[in-house]
Amino acid sequence: MIKNTFSVILCLTLSLTAYSQKRIEPTTDDISLANSLKEQYPDDNVALVTSKDHVTFGFNKRAGKVTVMHEVNENMINIDSRADIQIYNFYDGESTIEEFEIRYRNQKEASFYVKDEAYTSDDLFHNDSRVKYVTIDFPLKGYRYLTSIHKKYKDIKYFTKLYFNGEYPAQKKTIRVEVPNWLDIELKELNFEGYEIEKKVTPNEKGNGEIYTYTLNDAPAMYDENAAPGPTYIYPHVLILAKSYTYNDKTVNIFKDTQDLYNWYKSLVNSLENDNTPIKDKVKELTENVSSDEEKIKNIYYWVQDNIRYIAFEDGIAGFKPDEAANVFTKRYGDCKGMANLTKQMLIEAGFDARLTWIGTKRIAYDYSTPNLSVDNHMICTLFKDGKTIFLDGTEKFNAYGEYANRIQGKQVLIENGDDFILEYVPTSEAKFNKEQFDYSLTLSEDNIIGKVDKIFNGESRSSLLYYFNSLKNDKKDEFLEYYLNKGNSNIKVSNIETSDLKNRDENINIAYNVDVKNAVSSFDNQVYIDLDFDKELSNFILEERKTDYIFNTKRDLESTTRLEIPQGYNISHLPENISVDNDNFNMSVNFSKENNVIVYKKQFQIKHAKIETSDFKEWNGFIKKLDALYSEQIILTKD
């Protein structure tokens, strides 16, 4: 009897399962929609029919903090024959994930195993971030899943912005923010230009607040492009500026203005117990036999660069609070905040006026007029000396004193100043500050090109080369130099390499060597064909099918001059045509000429602002195509 009952239950279960599976198969309309979306978004395999962000606020009386509940509900559809993707969400000590559900389109729960793991990264050391994620498969085109993720923030200051674009394109994106009357918050709309975003403000049902609803149809996915600007520059988003809250008729500021943001940062700094005892002897060693203040400062700054290993920390509040200088000194590693604090304390110990300084790199579009924790992502040290303001970034290995990496040039800084603060800007430098100057003096030797090469590196071209060179083991340095100079080309033999001091970051790098190039010369009858360019900078650097500006790490200024002696009894019968282009972001030219009995081949490539804008692509690509054609041409000499 029991056996028969079990058989009936099993059959019924299988029938119900089969019926359930049948109900969730793609409908004709779903398949038609998938085909339509695939035409609209050919590079994507999954799209969102709808994506809804719903944000509400609460108040934790015990902690005295405004809380945030951020609910994201998405209706996903497969627009390829099949797809496998991951759904994930991060959380940490300041947030929790209250719900993480995946359902079929018929609302039945999908039986996927949701994993909850600590998040690890090669770039992070201490890290309290965790991630919940699940891998889901779409077996058929038009197949759908419904996802629901609810994340709670314990403190509103950590809830910073909402994007309209995401990992997948959305047919309809909605952001709904319910703001109660007791909360003073500004929803700052950024990068809305060019997007038809509908905005509605309505009272809530209880009449004690307002609901802000933003709707965007046909929102493309974020672009998967390397060297792109930071997302805050290019995607429409709402910046959350939480100013104050009112409780029991008392108004409490959160980040009403920059002063409030600074006060919170300074409270973290004030909680440090900087005992400089462990660093005193090292400071004395670095400064006692030095006559000038500048040399003392350099010795300290360069010691931090050379001896403290940079490792990022994201451990809750440690993501914003510097480590004690003594800890960083003893451990010999720290994040940017710990390294800045060590630099500051060592300089103070040496008798100088040094301050901690907050800054957002060029990755971030904001400045301190928007008091929000996403305004900065970096910390450096500021030195006030003889009426001058000098910025010191210990994480920039081999940056010289008074020189600044492109990633912080022109950015606004927030400098500690007791109960007040100072706002200044990091100076900028022109592309010529990073000048690379190459000089080749060459002659023909049978079927080879031989000669002497001199190369000079300035600014960031110098510091990046020094950093890479000095990161190598000693037994690899000669090998690296040879590989670097011959570009890994076995046809190019370099010898008699002479260099300036490759540990001195205050002087330009000078490298001189002899070169012997095979397979660059061909002779037929009375003619000689010569490939004179060994470097071919920017070859094939075509920017096609790209949606965003191309951002270089640094501004560039290359001047390369090659002089080839014409063999006796030969004349020039062909030189490639000169080419050039000049606009606001780049100035490039390639020229051939004859001076007495010498062919002079000169290249000048200047990337003025470390970027190529999308509006430049046509002009840029036109020049690069001409450059590639020029690189493939040969100089022809004909015997008299």
Side-chain angles (χ1 to χ4, degrees):
M1 181 66 180
I2 294 176
K3 183 176 180 180
N4 291 337
T5 302
F6 177 77
S7 299
V8 171
I9 293 174
L10 179 61
C11 290
L12 180 60
T13 301
L14 291 173
S15 298
L16 289 173
T17 301
Y19 178 68
S20 172
Q21 294 294 332
K22 183 177 180 180
R23 288 180 60 196
I24 61 175
E25 295 249 336
T27 65
T28 303
D29 288 343
D30 286 342
I31 295 172
S32 177
L33 176 60
N35 288 330
S36 175
L37 289 171
K38 186 62 179 179
E39 289 183 10
Q40 189 173 359
Y41 304 108
D43 296 330
D44 294 284
N45 57 2
V46 170
L48 308 178
V49 179
T50 59
S51 175
K52 300 176 181 179
D53 288 63
H54 184 203
V55 180
T56 56
F57 302 96
F59 186 70
N60 184 331
K61 297 178 183 178
R62 178 176 296 179
K65 293 180 179 178
V66 178
T67 60
V68 183
M69 179 60 77
H70 181 201
E71 302 177 6
V72 180
N73 295 284
E74 294 181 331
N75 185 333
M76 313 186 80
I77 186 169
N78 178 30
I79 60 177
D80 262 342
S81 57
R82 65 167 292 117
D84 296 293
I85 66 170
Q86 280 192 342
I87 307 296
Y88 55 89
N89 203 283
F90 294 94
Y91 66 102
D92 54 31
E94 296 295 335
S95 59
T96 56
I97 294 180
E98 307 286 296
E99 180 178 300
F100 194 110
E101 291 185 350
I102 312 294
R103 297 182 180 275
Y104 298 114
R105 66 175 176 82
N106 62 1
Q107 296 294 335
K108 292 187 177 293
E109 184 176 353
S111 55
F112 294 110
Y113 177 65
V114 178
K115 296 182 180 180
D116 187 341
E117 296 179 357
Y119 174 70
T120 58
S121 168
D122 292 338
D123 298 324
L124 300 174
F125 187 63
H126 292 307
N127 177 23
D128 72 342
S129 293
R130 295 188 65 85
V131 59
K132 281 193 175 184
Y133 68 98
V134 62
T135 301
I136 63 175
D137 64 300
F138 293 84
L140 301 167
K141 179 180 283 190
Y143 207 85
R144 295 205 200 196
Y145 287 108
L146 308 176
T147 68
S148 180
I149 300 175
H150 298 179
K151 183 175 179 179
K152 184 175 182 179
Y153 293 82
K154 300 175 185 178
D155 189 337
I156 193 174
K157 66 169 61 77
Y158 298 103
F159 183 68
T160 58
K161 52 186 163 311
L162 291 162
Y163 282 101
F164 287 87
N165 307 84
E167 189 171 356
Y168 306 103
Q171 190 176 36
K172 184 176 182 180
K173 175 69 179 184
T174 305
I175 294 177
R176 176 184 169 99
V177 183
E178 298 189 26
V179 182
N181 288 340
W182 52 265
L183 178 62
D184 182 9
I185 190 171
E186 178 187 353
L187 304 179
K188 189 166 185 176
E189 300 160 5
L190 297 170
N191 302 333
F192 276 34
E193 300 82 4
Y195 293 88
E196 295 182 4
I197 298 175
E198 180 185 350
K199 175 184 176 181
K200 290 183 180 179
V201 183
T202 57
N204 65 9
E205 294 180 356
K206 296 181 180 179
N208 61 355
E210 292 182 317
I211 300 174
Y212 295 78
T213 304
Y214 299 90
T215 304
L216 174 62
N217 293 321
D218 300 322
M222 286 187 172
Y223 309 121
D224 183 18
E225 296 181 333
N226 68 317
T232 55
Y233 287 95
I234 53 180
Y235 299 112
H237 61 285
V238 177
L239 190 63
I240 311 297
L241 301 179
K243 298 183 176 182
S244 66
Y245 67 87
T246 301
Y247 180 71
N248 286 340
D249 297 324
K250 181 181 178 182
T251 299
V252 179
N253 286 355
I254 304 172
F255 290 152
K256 193 174 183 67
D257 51 30
T258 308
Q259 183 68 55
D260 288 326
L261 179 64
Y262 173 74
N263 290 345
W264 188 72
Y265 283 160
K266 195 66 170 68
S267 70
L268 302 179
V269 173
N270 290 342
S271 67
L272 297 176
E273 298 178 359
N274 279 310
D275 178 5
N276 288 348
T277 302
I279 69 176
K280 288 180 181 293
D281 289 344
K282 177 54 69 175
V283 172
K284 182 179 179 181
E285 174 192 326
L286 294 171
T287 59
E288 65 178 345
N289 295 318
V290 180
S291 57
S292 72
D293 283 348
E294 182 171 308
E295 287 303 310
K296 292 178 182 179
I297 295 165
K298 284 184 179 181
N299 285 352
I300 290 171
Y301 180 38
Y302 295 165
W303 185 89
V304 173
Q305 285 186 353
D306 294 344
N307 293 278
I308 304 301
R309 186 161 54 103
Y310 171 73
I311 303 179
F313 290 78
E314 290 191 4
D315 246 346
I317 203 68
F320 299 93
K321 179 182 176 181
D323 195 4
E324 273 84 1
N327 289 341
V328 178
F329 177 81
T330 302
K331 295 182 296 187
R332 292 294 198 269
Y333 64 78
D335 68 353
C336 63
K337 298 176 294 298
M339 294 176 76
N341 190 37
L342 175 59
T343 305
K344 169 191 170 180
Q345 294 302 323
M346 292 181 77
L347 288 170
I348 288 175
E349 192 64 33
F352 299 105
D353 181 4
R355 322 275 185 91
L356 292 179
T357 301
W358 293 263
I359 182 173
T361 65
K362 285 188 175 179
R363 180 83 179 157
I364 297 175
Y366 319 130
D367 62 20
Y368 285 98
S369 64
T370 53
N372 178 291
L373 290 185
S374 63
V375 71
D376 47 41
N377 60 347
H378 192 39
M379 181 178 278
I380 59 177
C381 176
T382 297
L383 174 72
F384 292 103
K385 182 77 172 65
D386 300 330
K388 296 180 180 179
T389 305
I390 302 162
F391 302 105
L392 306 172
D393 185 351
T395 69
E396 290 291 344
K397 305 298 185 183
F398 285 94
N399 250 36
Y401 174 71
E403 295 182 8
Y404 310 115
N406 180 70
R407 69 182 185 130
I408 65 171
Q409 288 182 23
K411 293 293 293 184
Q412 191 181 51
V413 295
L414 179 74
I415 306 171
E416 65 174 336
N417 190 36
D419 293 334
D420 200 359
F421 60 88
I422 299 170
L423 291 177
E424 288 202 23
Y425 289 88
V426 177
T428 60
S429 60
E430 295 182 355
K432 63 183 179 181
F433 184 77
N434 300 326
K435 194 171 191 67
E436 300 170 69
Q437 189 168 340
F438 301 166
D439 289 290
Y440 295 82
S441 297
L442 306 174
T443 59
L444 298 184
S445 175
E446 296 181 351
D447 291 335
N448 288 8
I449 296 177
I450 62 172
K452 180 80 173 177
V453 184
D454 291 282
K455 293 187 174 183
I456 301 174
F457 300 84
N458 301 270
E460 289 194 81
S461 69
R462 177 200 66 229
S463 59
S464 60
L465 180 55
L466 285 179
Y467 172 66
Y468 189 77
F469 179 77
N470 285 280
S471 67
L472 299 171
K473 295 180 180 179
N474 285 330
D475 61 348
K476 298 291 184 181
K477 291 183 177 181
D478 290 341
E479 181 181 324
F480 162 73
L481 264 182
E482 184 173 346
Y483 182 85
Y484 177 79
L485 296 173
N486 69 13
K487 307 292 185 183
N489 187 341
S490 59
N491 288 318
I492 302 175
K493 180 181 179 181
V494 300
S495 59
N496 301 325
I497 301 172
E498 297 179 0
T499 71
S500 56
D501 183 358
L502 294 182
K503 290 187 177 180
N504 187 346
R505 70 207 79 196
D506 290 314
E507 299 293 335
N508 298 331
I509 294 178
N510 293 272
I511 303 177
Y513 58 96
N514 294 333
V515 65
D516 187 336
V517 185
K518 297 185 297 183
N519 298 325
V521 180
S522 301
S523 300
F524 298 97
D525 297 329
N526 292 326
Q527 291 187 318
V528 177
Y529 297 82
I530 304 167
D531 183 356
L532 197 55
D533 196 306
F534 316 139
D535 298 320
K536 294 182 170 54
E537 296 91 353
L538 299 178
S539 176
N540 298 315
F541 206 112
I542 299 291
L543 300 173
E544 289 183 339
E545 299 183 3
R546 186 180 175 91
K547 305 295 185 181
T548 63
D549 298 348
Y550 188 95
I551 306 298
F552 292 86
N553 290 330
T554 66
K555 304 179 182 77
R556 288 202 63 190
D557 189 344
L558 168 69
E559 181 177 314
S560 174
T561 303
T562 302
R563 291 177 171 85
L564 174 68
E565 184 179 340
I566 301 172
Q568 188 173 2
Y570 282 84
N571 288 312
I572 301 171
S573 57
H574 175 74
L575 288 177
E577 291 187 8
N578 299 336
I579 60 174
S580 66
V581 64
D582 187 5
N583 79 0
D584 290 340
N585 284 320
F586 48 87
N587 179 10
M588 302 190 291
S589 64
V590 180
N591 293 283
F592 292 86
S593 62
K594 180 184 176 184
E595 295 179 3
N596 299 321
N597 200 43
V598 174
I599 295 173
V600 180
Y601 170 43
K602 192 165 188 176
K603 291 182 291 186
Q604 292 182 301
F605 297 155
Q606 188 178 82
I607 313 296
K608 302 175 186 177
H609 307 296
K611 66 178 178 180
I612 308 299
E613 297 179 0
T614 54
S615 58
D616 299 325
F617 285 179
K618 183 177 180 180
E619 195 170 15
W620 171 272
N621 290 338
F623 177 83
I624 296 299
K625 288 175 182 178
K626 291 180 181 178
L627 181 66
D628 287 338
L630 183 149
Y631 284 154
S632 66
E633 280 193 68
Q634 293 179 313
I635 294 171
I636 303 176
L637 304 180
T638 302
K639 194 170 184 178
D640 293 342

